[in-house]
Amino acid sequence: MMSQTEIDRLRLLPVPAGQLFIGGTFGAAASGETLVSISPIDGTVLTQIAAGSAHDVDLAVTAARRSFDAGHWSRAAPAFRKKVMFRIAELIEKHALELAVLGVRDNGTEIAMAIKAEPGSAAGTFRYYAEAIDKINGEIAPTAPGILGLISREPVGVVAAIVPWNFPLMIGAWKVAPALAAGNSVVLKPAEGASLSLLRLAAICAEAGLPEGVLNVVTGYGTAVGAALGLHMDVDVIAFTGSGGVGRKLLEYSARSNLKRCYLELGGKSPNVVFADAPDLEVAAKTSAMGIFRNSGQVCVAGSRLIVEDSIHDAFVARVAAIAAGMRVGDPLNLTTEAGAISSAEQMRKDLGYIDVAVQEGGQLETGGAQILQETGGFYVQPTVISGIQPHMRLAREEVFGPVLGVMRFHTEEEAIRLANGTDYGLAAAVWTANLGRAHRMVGAIKAGLVHVNTYGGSDNTVPLGGMRQSGNGHDKSLHAIDKYTDLKSAWIQL
Ligand code: NAD
């Protein structure tokens, strides 16, 4: 039940200290060390979380390997694996509001969005991959008579999933669910600033009957836990979502250890291209504003570069700025809030720094630009629109990961394509046009893993999400994700 009264009750519950989950048991880090979880809503200490070390990672990888070799999950009948994963989905739904409120207290996403994007999406993802378990067949190769060529996929073994703070449950499920469906054991490393809902997920998986050691969660600093997973000789695959800088490190760790496969879902600087012939400019303006400002811009696919045709530029930008200025920013646990808190004080300073640089470099502030609600003790930034952005400026090239929209102007379709592709990234994009031919040309010409047409955001488990260029290589979602967590095996049989 999603009522303000229930949310207000849940927000006051004490948050127990976060512990590691290894081999089916919750416990402290071996060193006893902890890190502090600060709530971005009001800047207060929410709880302490175990700060794992390389030693804890080793224990978790050993537990994962032992469970994989024992075969209670990896070689279990598909019907059993399906049943457990459906049960996980049911339990996530049963505890949806509790999970969402806990997550919001940790990372500041507005609750109206969090309830759908976090437990809602995670439950759907577990269900989607549960359904896939007994529907993916192997192949028989068209060999010459007398030979039987079998092609199958088998689980890789131990998967390490390293996830960011913006949508921990959703992104965690995108990795954990297909990895489990394929029969692997998993070590999950949440972000420092968003561990709590994933620890709750571990308890839910145990309650659903997932055998011990199949899912382990090691919380702590990236430089300790994440690096130890990256360097571990017995981790077979890294599934990562986060920044490009850490993605680069993971490739190095792999090269320095066992050449484990690394799937990297990295950032973006996604273009949102609006042509004058868009079917409905009011819908385009509203959707464009939501495409950058929901979750205060802390969305990997956020449409952070608005690229507008010259003839409608001024009116369209004025409309987007008016929508931004009218957004309800504030307490993320209020159901009417449209943009919640920035996840940390450090991220807020980064956002404000990018705004200053954009203005210094010649951008015009159309709306926003400042920190607000300081009296709450939390971290809030106004939805900000800056026009006059040129391709060389930092706001045109670097990911802010905050509520900051840079606006560029174009005259021709060719120029729009050049601007859209003018970054190192290639995660998402959108095109607004009623011209079908142009829509198809733009989808083909824009280097991005996901191109929306006449909408922004919103997709489901049936389509992959992943990047091109420096946005990475590892698509989450859809049946393609199963490939990441399986090895291809051929058998050549002389009959
Ligand atoms: P981050 O790269 O700082 O951290 C991501 C994870 O990596 C965290 O769990 C962190 O603890 C861990 N980590 C940090 N240092 C590490 C190291 N040296 N070795 C191993 N692991 C380490 O990213 P973030 O700030 O949590 O999230 C924001 C970034 O994530 C943005 O760039 C955003 O675009 C990206 N992101 C991408 C997608 C996508 O689907 N492509 C989705 C969400 C977020």
Side-chain angles (χ1 to χ4, degrees):
M1 185 189 52
M2 170 113 133
S3 71
Q4 191 61 55
T5 316
E6 183 60 5
I7 292 167
D8 290 341
R9 184 185 74 77
L10 289 168
R11 74 184 297 163
L12 296 175
L13 294 181
V15 181
Q19 296 192 305
L20 311 183
F21 185 69
I22 298 178
T25 308
F26 282 101
S31 65
E33 283 181 20
T34 57
L35 62 88
V36 176
S37 165
I38 305 279
S39 176
I41 299 177
D42 55 11
T44 57
V45 173
L46 194 54
T47 190
Q48 305 279 331
I49 295 169
S53 64
H55 178 70
D56 299 300
V57 165
D58 200 40
L59 294 175
V61 174
T62 302
R65 177 63 62 188
R66 194 175 300 129
S67 72
F68 184 78
D69 290 346
H72 302 312
W73 182 254
S74 56
R75 294 193 296 278
F80 171 70
R81 297 215 305 271
K82 266 178 86 166
K83 196 170 134 202
V84 172
M85 287 189 58
F86 277 132
R87 182 86 185 113
I88 294 171
E90 281 161 20
L91 288 171
I92 292 172
E93 274 166 354
K94 181 174 164 197
H95 298 288
L97 194 57
E98 170 209 330
L99 280 161
V101 171
L102 184 64
V104 170
R105 291 172 77 187
D106 216 5
N107 79 348
T109 303
E110 57 278 4
I111 186 73
M113 175 171 201
I115 189 79
K116 288 188 222 137
E118 287 279 89
S121 157
T125 300
F126 272 94
R127 200 163 272 133
Y128 177 86
Y129 289 106
E131 284 163 353
I133 286 175
D134 56 5
K135 295 181 186 59
I136 299 176
N137 299 318
E139 300 165 40
I140 297 177
T143 52
I147 297 291
L148 179 60
L150 300 180
I151 305 166
S152 58
R153 289 203 160 268
E154 53 187 45
V156 292
V158 176
V159 172
I162 304 179
V163 298
W165 43 259
N166 58 339
F167 293 104
L169 264 186
M170 177 176 81
I171 296 173
W174 285 349
K175 298 185 191 310
V176 171
L180 293 181
N184 298 285
S185 292
V186 177
V187 180
L188 173 63
K189 191 258 175 254
E192 294 83 329
S195 300
L196 299 171
S197 57
L198 288 173
L199 288 169
R200 191 70 187 86
L201 176 68
I204 282 175
C205 290
E207 186 185 342
L210 191 69
E212 277 175 18
V214 176
L215 175 66
N216 307 274
V217 183
V218 184
T219 54
Y221 295 104
T223 44
V225 177
L229 285 167
L231 286 164
H232 204 286
M233 293 301 286
D234 207 23
V235 168
D236 298 291
V237 159
I238 295 271
F240 172 74
T241 294
S243 61
V246 175
R248 280 185 164 76
K249 285 191 182 147
L250 289 166
L251 292 176
E252 275 178 45
Y253 300 151
S254 168
R256 280 165 49 196
S257 55
N258 62 344
L259 295 177
K260 58 182 71 65
R261 299 208 302 258
C262 292
Y263 295 104
L264 309 176
E265 278 295 333
L266 308 175
K269 191 76 209 178
S270 299
N272 180 17
V273 182
V274 184
F275 285 91
D277 66 0
D280 184 331
L281 285 168
E282 179 61 14
V283 170
K286 281 189 183 142
T287 313
S288 298
M290 291 308 139
I292 174 69
F293 297 125
R294 64 198 174 126
N295 200 12
S296 295
Q298 302 166 119
V299 178
C300 56
V301 295
S304 54
R305 287 184 301 142
L306 182 62
I307 303 178
V308 189
E309 189 164 1
D310 191 50
S311 59
I312 56 161
H313 176 280
D314 293 359
F316 190 80
V317 173
R319 185 69 192 119
V320 172
I323 294 165
M327 280 181 78
R328 288 184 295 271
V329 182
D331 179 4
L333 285 171
N334 187 325
L335 271 170
T336 60
T337 293
E338 293 174 294
I342 306 298
S343 69
S344 65
E346 185 193 355
Q347 180 65 39
M348 180 178 68
R349 282 192 289 272
K350 187 177 160 200
D351 297 349
L352 296 168
Y354 268 109
I355 294 169
D356 285 348
V357 168
V359 172
Q360 278 160 23
E361 287 187 334
Q364 287 101 55
L365 193 60
E366 301 281 347
T367 188
Q371 181 186 354
I372 48 171
L373 301 171
Q374 286 93 328
E375 67 282 6
T376 63
F379 318 128
Y380 301 89
V381 172
Q382 291 172 316
T384 299
V385 179
I386 304 177
S387 62
I389 298 301
Q390 301 300 322
H392 65 274
M393 294 181 178
R394 283 181 63 193
L395 195 62
R397 293 182 289 112
E398 297 176 22
E399 181 183 46
V400 177
F401 217 57
V404 186
L405 178 65
V407 186
M408 306 169 101
R409 181 192 289 264
F410 72 90
H411 297 85
T412 64
E413 193 175 307
E414 292 67 33
E415 191 184 3
I417 293 168
R418 208 167 45 248
L419 289 173
N421 287 337
T423 72
D424 294 332
Y425 292 109
L427 188 56
V431 181
W432 296 83
T433 178
N435 178 327
L436 190 63
R438 168 180 277 161
H440 280 286
R441 283 196 301 278
M442 294 296 288
V443 168
I446 293 178
K447 292 292 285 180
L450 171 63
V451 183
H452 306 88
V453 176
N454 295 332
T455 187
Y456 203 104
S459 66
D460 62 20
N461 275 310
T462 62
V463 292
L465 175 65
M468 294 181 178
R469 307 203 281 192
Q470 290 185 34
S471 289
N473 62 351
H475 290 74
D476 286 317
K477 308 202 294 173
S478 86
L479 296 182
H480 293 282
I482 302 269
D483 290 356
K484 299 193 296 187
Y485 306 111
T486 50
D487 280 320
L488 204 55
K489 164 80 68 76
S490 303
W492 182 264
I493 302 172
Q494 184 76 50
L495 298 174

